[in-house]
Amino acid sequence: SAVISQKPSRDICQRGTSLTIQCQVDSQVTMMFWYRQQPGQSLTLIATANQGSEATYESGFVIDKFPISRPNLTFSTLTVSNMSPEDSSIYLCSATGYTEAFFGQGTRLTVV
Amino acid sequence: ELKVEQNPLFLSMQEGKNYTIYCNYSTTSDRLYWYRQDPGKSLESLFVLLSNGAVKQEGRLMASLDTKARLSTLHITAAVHDLSATYFCAVDPARTTSGTYKYIFGTGTRLKVLA
């Protein structure tokens, strides 16, 4: 299994600002993903973080709003840009091993 | 459009009772995953079902997979309060075709076990 450290665990941000979330995995993994989970809802995939190249975004998510980096096999960042209250959510980093995905503890973001 | 639906969405049950949560998905997937999420926490892997007919059990929980029917079940036996949580199923249909692991999550079932 993989242990995923995500930080910050929570933050309260002013609208119009940006927040970068970091995700560190304790072992090399093939795939890393970023999800959003709104309160009481399921998880929605934002993008696949590709090592050394641009992330692959799902429908409804764009690079200008959610830039993602993955400089190596164990580290990725997600930035939530130009935040609005609608971005208030939990953001989860995920890494996939051979048989299953593991998740970070999440970042609870509140935009005021 | 790919859909992964769980039934029921909310479940309130008495301790000691049995119940089944259903997970239906709309496209081919040769694997299915069950996760548990406690309030304010991340997701904990419960079961990985790797093939048609797979059945796995851990304590009071048992999961099964029917890939032909595109259906998985999570059966709860003699529920206890500690099982109160939200349960998600997930499929990774993209893996079948392109080798990527891109999970699509179900709607979630919020379980509350009453003492």
Side-chain angles (χ1 to χ4, degrees):
Chain A
S1 65
V3 177
I4 301 176
S5 301
Q6 193 175 328
K7 59 180 181 181
S9 59
R10 59 178 63 227
D11 208 340
I12 300 173
C13 300
Q14 296 290 324
R15 67 179 66 199
T17 63
S18 298
L19 175 72
T20 296
I21 304 167
Q22 298 182 0
C23 177
Q24 178 74 54
V25 188
D26 70 342
S27 57
Q28 292 187 352
V29 291
T30 52
M31 310 289 287
M32 293 183 73
F33 303 90
W34 288 96
Y35 288 85
R36 182 172 72 183
Q37 185 179 29
Q38 294 178 314
Q41 303 294 315
S42 185
L43 282 75
T44 300
L45 181 63
I46 297 172
T48 304
N50 300 309
Q51 184 200 356
S53 64
E54 190 173 290
T56 304
Y57 290 85
E58 298 300 306
S59 176
F61 298 96
V62 295
I63 187 171
D64 290 345
K65 177 66 175 177
F66 298 101
I68 289 170
S69 77
R70 188 180 173 193
N72 56 54
L73 285 173
T74 62
F75 184 78
S76 178
T77 65
L78 167 73
T79 299
V80 186
S81 303
N82 188 25
M83 288 184 284
S84 67
E86 292 71 37
D87 295 319
S88 297
S89 191
I90 298 171
Y91 293 85
L92 290 145
C93 171
S94 172
T96 305
Y98 181 68
T99 58
E100 63 192 293
F102 302 94
F103 290 83
Q105 67 269 40
T107 296
R108 184 179 295 269
L109 171 62
T110 302
V111 184
V112 298
Chain B
E1 180 189 351
L2 171 62
K3 289 187 178 180
V4 184
E5 297 180 328
Q6 290 180 231
N7 180 17
L9 298 181
F10 299 96
L11 176 57
S12 181
M13 58 190 299
Q14 296 288 331
E15 277 193 331
K17 298 295 186 181
N18 304 331
Y19 207 84
T20 300
I21 299 170
Y22 297 89
C23 172
N24 289 91
Y25 52 98
S26 62
T27 191
T28 302
S29 179
D30 59 357
R31 295 185 175 190
L32 190 132
Y33 310 83
W34 283 97
Y35 287 86
R36 168 181 172 147
Q37 187 178 39
D38 292 291
K41 304 289 186 181
S42 188
L43 279 78
E44 173 192 354
S45 177
L46 292 175
F47 298 109
V48 179
L49 302 171
L50 298 176
S51 61
N52 185 41
V55 178
K56 289 197 173 180
Q57 183 165 4
E58 181 72 32
R60 302 175 186 274
L61 299 177
M62 183 173 70
S64 66
L65 176 61
D66 182 344
T67 57
K68 294 179 181 177
R70 297 180 183 174
L71 170 69
S72 180
T73 61
L74 180 66
H75 186 73
I76 303 159
T77 302
V80 293
H81 183 261
D82 286 350
L83 290 179
S84 297
T86 299
Y87 294 85
F88 291 99
C89 63
V91 298
D92 57 347
R95 183 180 182 279
T96 304
T97 56
S98 65
T100 61
Y101 299 72
K102 190 169 75 171
Y103 286 23
I104 307 299
F105 279 83
T107 46
T109 296
R110 190 176 299 177
L111 170 65
K112 186 172 184 179
V113 181
L114 305 173

